């Protein structure tokens, strides 16, 4: 294929993606509803992806929300299969069904290239994805990390309304993305977390901010951890210092860092609240939500202590004390996998009080008792190195569910995606 024909094909490929990037999955992959209720939490639904590596699931920090404007929430599931599945609860069948699937902008070019060259690169996977109102029109869009792409429900289809490959063109990559107002101007931005790839540009920023300017996605800000070549996985956003404005919290090169936006200089000002990096302790995920029911956001950090033996899962919670950040709580689970992205906060048992849910290879559910966080439930029917744990109302009944899935499993285990529900019993 000469260069001219290749260029023409690229244009046609993107045009096709823009016109219709979603497709209905007609596969007959097994979908199961609950067959038992373990303790007070039952498995509302599960899907088995098999034992091969493509079955591994990736974290989307905001995968639950109304992304097609019908007033009901959908659930996004992504992993190493080069797609994002848009799932919807079918109350009659009592299962979640894949109603659409999203692919990267040049997905069909990758497939054609593989037909011409079997050793060609696979289509990219979405390391992270999010649902939120990025365009400011009151309706949610879907953002994905592959080429920083945004999808919108238009005329019965999910269509690409913009993408910006600046990070990838400069040798970087992304683990996650988050939609929220990080510069406190009243409009949401797209927060991309990542950094340089193994053979990329070591100067690529760990945090890159994009904004919708009315007709396209533009890069508006960045933060680069000085003096290191680091990679940020799951960044969080919230008002963690009680100043009425949001901050980004991330973990970079073993440090837990709060990024304050300076409206005058148009730059992020970092505050390091912990620097405890060792080979056995690597802070990974950040969740900024109110977990002690005091109306103020705490900082929840998942620590991956499982790179070396013995394995240890670890949770650390920080709180603003009026002048600085102090450690409010810390817990370790020796012998379990490290805590990577499997971390979230929300009311999962309908008591009106938020819980902290932490995934290692099993799920610990903790609640503030007025003095400390105590474990009130344990979901021990999961397995693998959990990278997915999200809390939200997936079935639109007004109560939250817990989504859980691994990114790695041991030999002989299958990759499984679970949705747990409090009080669920098989129908």
């Amino acid at each position: 294929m000469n260069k001219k024909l290749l260029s023409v094909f690229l244009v046609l490929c993107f045009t096709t993606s823009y016109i219709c990037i979603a497709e209905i999955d007609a596969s007959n992959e097994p979908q199961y509803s609950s067959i038992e209720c373990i303790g007070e939490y039952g498995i509302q639904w599960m899907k088995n992806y098999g034992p091969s590596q493509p079955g591994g699931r990736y974290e989307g920090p905001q995968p639950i929300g109304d992304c097609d404007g019908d007033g009901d929430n959908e659930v996004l599931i992504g992993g190493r299969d080069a797609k994002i599945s848009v799932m919807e609860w079918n109350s009659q069948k009592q299962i979640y069904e894949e109603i659409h699937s999203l692919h990267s902008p040049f997905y069909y070019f990758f497939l054609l290239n593989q037909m011409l060259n079997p050793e060609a690169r696979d289509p990219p996977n979405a390391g992270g994805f999010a649902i939120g109102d990025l365009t400011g029109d009151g309706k949610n869009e879907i953002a994905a990390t592959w080429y920083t792409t945004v999808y919108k429900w238009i005329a019965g289809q999910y269509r690409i309304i913009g993408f910006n490959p600046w990070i990838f063109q400069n040798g970087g990559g992304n683990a996650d993305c988050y939609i929220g107002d990080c510069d406190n101007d009243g409009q949401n931005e797209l927060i991309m977390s990542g950094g340089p790839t193994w053979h990329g540009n070591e100067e690529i920023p760990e945090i890159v901010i994009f904004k919708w300017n009315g007709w396209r996605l533009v890069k508006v800000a960045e933060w680069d951890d000085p003096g290191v070549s680091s990679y940020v996985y799951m960044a969080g956003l919230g008002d963690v210092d009680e100043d009425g404005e949001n901050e980004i919290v991330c973990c970079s090169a073993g440090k837990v860092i709060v990024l304050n936006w300076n409206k005058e200089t148009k730059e992020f000002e970092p505050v390091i609240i912990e620097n405890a990096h060792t080979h056995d302790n690597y802070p990974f995920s950040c969740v900024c939500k109110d977990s002690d029911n005091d109306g103020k956001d705490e900082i929840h950090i998942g620590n991956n202590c499982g790179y070396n033996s013995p394995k240890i899962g670890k949770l650390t919670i920080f709180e603003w004390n009026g002048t600085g950040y102090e450690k409010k709580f810390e817990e370790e689970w020796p012998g379990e996998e490290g805590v990577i992205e499997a971390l979230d906060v929300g009311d999962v048992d309908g008591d009106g009080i938020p819980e902290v849910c932490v995934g290692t290879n099993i799920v610990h559910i903790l609640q503030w008792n007025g003095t400390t966080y105590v474990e009130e439930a344990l979901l021990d029917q999961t397995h693998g190195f959990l990278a997915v744990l999200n809390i939200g109302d997936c079935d639109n009944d007004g109560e939250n569910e817990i989504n859980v899935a691994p990114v790695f499993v041991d030999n002989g285990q299958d990759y499984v995606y679970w949705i747990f529900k409090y009080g669920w019993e098989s129908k």
Side-chain angles (χ1 to χ4, degrees), residues 58-61 76 78-79 83-84 102-105 121 124-131 142-151 162-169 172-179 190-195 208 210 217 231-235 341:
Y58 287 139
E59 167 77 4
L76 305 180
K83 71 174 182 177
I84 299 173
L102 309 182
H103 299 292
S104 63
R121 179 183 172 187
N125 303 312
F129 35 89
I131 298 174
I142 297 173
T145 55
W146 47 38
Y147 310 117
T148 311
T149 303
V150 178
Y151 305 79
F163 75 106
N164 191 322
W166 182 88
I167 295 171
F168 292 88
Q169 287 177 341
N174 286 118
D176 273 312
C177 60
Y178 195 98
I179 297 174
L190 181 55
I191 304 166
M192 307 296 293
S193 54
V208 182
F210 294 88
L217 204 60
Y231 205 88
V232 171
Y233 289 87
M234 183 175 148
E341 294 102 334

Side-chain angles (χ1 to χ4, degrees), residues 87-97 99 394-395:
M87 312 294 292
E88 190 172 86
W89 175 249
N90 185 319
S91 58
Q92 293 182 340
K93 297 180 181 179
Q94 296 285 284
I95 61 172
Y96 291 89
E97 296 180 315
I99 54 174
C394 303
D395 60 6

Side-chain angles (χ1 to χ4, degrees), residues 12 24-25 28 47 88 98 108 111 114 119 163 225 353 372 406 413:
L12 289 175
I24 298 213
D25 184 12
N28 293 317
K47 180 169 182 176
E88 190 172 86
E98 182 179 282
Y108 297 105
L111 294 185
Q114 284 185 324
E119 297 182 359
F163 75 106
D225 194 353
I353 303 173
T372 187
Q413 294 179 332

Side-chain angles (χ1 to χ4, degrees), residues 30 50 110-111 244 293 347 353:
F110 280 99
L111 294 185
N293 220 26
D347 179 11
I353 303 173

Side-chain angles (χ1 to χ4, degrees), residues 236-240 247 249 286-290 297-300:
L237 180 73
D239 181 10
V240 296
E247 292 79 38
V249 183
C286 304
V287 174
C288 306
K289 294 181 180 179
D290 178 15
D297 290 337
E298 285 78 44
I299 299 172
H300 308 78

